[in-house]
Amino acid sequence: MAPGVRSSHLEFTSNEVTGAIGDSITVLPLVVALALVTSISLPHVLVAFGVFQIVWGLRYGLPISVEPMKALAALAIAGAMTYGELALAGLLLGVVLLAIGVTGTLASVERWIGEPVIRGVQFAVGLLLLETGVHLALEDVVFAGVGVAIVATAVVLGYRRSSALVVLIVGLGVALVVAGVPSPRWPGPPPVPPLGQSVSRAAVDGAFAQLAMTIGNAALATSLLVADLFDETVSPDELATSMGATNLLAIPAGGIPMCHGCDGVAGKYTFGARSGGANVILGGFYLGAAVFASATLLEAFPLAILGVLLVVVAVTLGSSVRQSEHLPLSVGIGLLALATNIGLAFVVGIVVHLAYRRISSER
């Protein structure tokens, strides 16, 4: 099928509703975690996710995912980045992705990075989330135990992918009991991140590391998966362009760095989505949730259950390292990132991978 041609259409069946859940499994835990430990505005973030779920669902006619940029989210949750640095890194990536997509140079960039390096960055992000999750879980072992029991039950019953969402719902239930149901209120003016004070190594390192994941997981892998599952052509450069535009528009409106992702597409497909209708449904849910999100509700959310959520997300994300074409290199990048920072590990990984590939080709 020629690029730009879409045979899919919008459907609003029960399968599209359950499919919408598949993309929220990693989105909501990370967004709630960011809202609890940083100064982002949850209502504005939910509005941004809602709007762009709908926009890309209508644009592509396919269940394209819209999710947080996980490397940046993990760094912010772990306290390695401020809200201003998170926003600045997202804007930098928006410019870079838009330029890459418009000029059609994504394939050339990807060849320099290499699949083992991308897997290594994913593993590093998983390790960072795991460390933060365990720390939070230990703050209240009772609530953490409840979260672990829920996850274990979900796994035994065959609903492993839904376990994080179930834990989130239980945590939200606890918060509602403690704080009560908030009155509906549409978000006001978005917060203004201090970009001028956020020019730092952390912002640049975070953007640099996230670029590897975005190119590999959100553009190249997503394009391939869409072709496999839906027999549709959505080029990696087209996805890069849409992600660049998303961040340049969403972040000034109070959103966080966002991307597409093959895991979100797979989640929607696994739960039944076959069209952009799942995006429209999920976008409507996010917009509705934004009306009820409040600081009081967030303050009542049990952090220990949040820790369990992050552990589940970390294991899901980090386990992808097993698919690496060069497992020792990918694991080494993750461990180096944990000991130093993701930016340094990313650069070292690229150098080692290129050297290994050259040596192998000369044999």
Side-chain angles (χ1 to χ4, degrees):
M1 185 172 294
V5 176
R6 307 284 178 256
S7 65
S8 300
H9 57 281
L10 299 182
E11 298 178 1
F12 297 97
T13 64
S14 59
N15 284 336
E16 299 298 316
V17 174
T18 56
I21 297 174
D23 198 18
S24 65
I25 290 173
T26 56
V27 173
L28 288 175
L30 286 174
V31 167
V32 170
L34 277 170
L36 284 167
V37 301
T38 72
S39 58
I40 70 166
S41 168
L42 181 58
H44 291 90
V45 169
L46 290 172
V47 168
F49 271 100
V51 168
F52 284 100
Q53 279 281 353
I54 295 172
V55 166
W56 299 125
L58 294 175
R59 166 66 181 86
Y60 291 113
L62 296 165
I64 296 293
S65 67
V66 181
E67 52 194 59
M69 288 187 166
K70 294 185 180 68
L72 294 181
L75 289 169
I77 291 169
M81 297 181 76
T82 65
Y83 170 44
E85 290 169 336
L86 176 70
L88 179 60
L91 290 172
L92 289 173
L93 283 170
V95 173
V96 172
L97 289 169
L98 191 61
I100 287 175
V102 170
T103 56
T105 58
L106 189 54
S108 299
V109 174
E110 187 270 340
R111 284 197 295 270
W112 284 93
I113 297 176
E115 185 267 355
V117 179
I118 296 168
R119 296 291 185 191
V121 172
Q122 289 179 322
F123 184 55
V125 172
L127 290 177
L128 285 172
L129 285 177
L130 179 64
E131 182 181 47
T132 304
V134 170
H135 175 74
L136 291 174
L138 292 176
E139 292 187 3
D140 191 323
V141 293
V142 175
F143 269 125
V146 171
V148 171
I150 293 170
V151 172
T153 302
V155 170
V156 169
L157 295 177
Y159 296 99
R160 181 181 64 84
R161 284 186 58 85
S162 303
S163 58
L165 189 62
V166 175
V167 174
L168 178 66
I169 291 172
V170 171
L172 180 60
V174 171
L176 286 171
V177 170
V178 173
V181 179
S183 301
R185 181 181 179 184
W186 188 251
V192 179
L195 298 179
Q197 305 169 23
S198 302
V199 179
S200 65
R201 179 176 173 179
V204 175
D205 283 351
F208 200 41
Q210 177 65 57
L211 183 61
M213 286 185 63
T214 301
I215 289 174
N217 180 58
L220 295 164
T222 299
S223 176
L224 180 61
L225 188 63
V226 166
D228 290 341
L229 297 180
F230 305 102
D231 193 26
E232 296 276 1
T233 300
V234 181
S235 73
D237 285 303
E238 188 176 359
L239 292 169
T241 301
S242 65
M243 288 186 288
T246 295
N247 284 290
L248 292 177
L249 292 171
I251 292 174
I256 60 173
M258 295 184 285
C259 63
H260 302 309
C262 64
D263 49 347
V265 174
K268 280 180 173 172
Y269 183 88
T270 299
F271 283 84
R274 297 295 183 270
S275 80
N279 287 57
V280 176
I281 292 168
L282 185 56
F285 167 77
Y286 286 150
L287 292 175
V291 175
F292 291 95
S294 69
T296 303
L297 194 63
L298 276 176
E299 291 170 0
F301 195 96
L303 285 175
I305 282 187
L306 172 65
V308 176
L309 278 176
L310 293 180
V311 169
V312 173
V313 175
V315 171
T316 301
L317 181 62
S319 62
S320 65
V321 75
R322 295 176 297 178
Q323 304 171 32
S324 174
E325 296 173 356
H326 196 298
L327 185 60
L329 174 58
S330 297
V331 171
I333 291 172
L335 295 176
L336 179 60
L338 195 63
T340 56
N341 62 74
I342 290 182
L344 175 61
F346 179 51
V347 174
V348 171
I350 291 175
V351 173
V352 173
H353 173 67
L354 290 175
Y356 174 80
R357 191 167 63 182
R358 181 172 182 177
I359 292 172
S360 298
S361 65
E362 293 175 351
R363 289 177 180 174

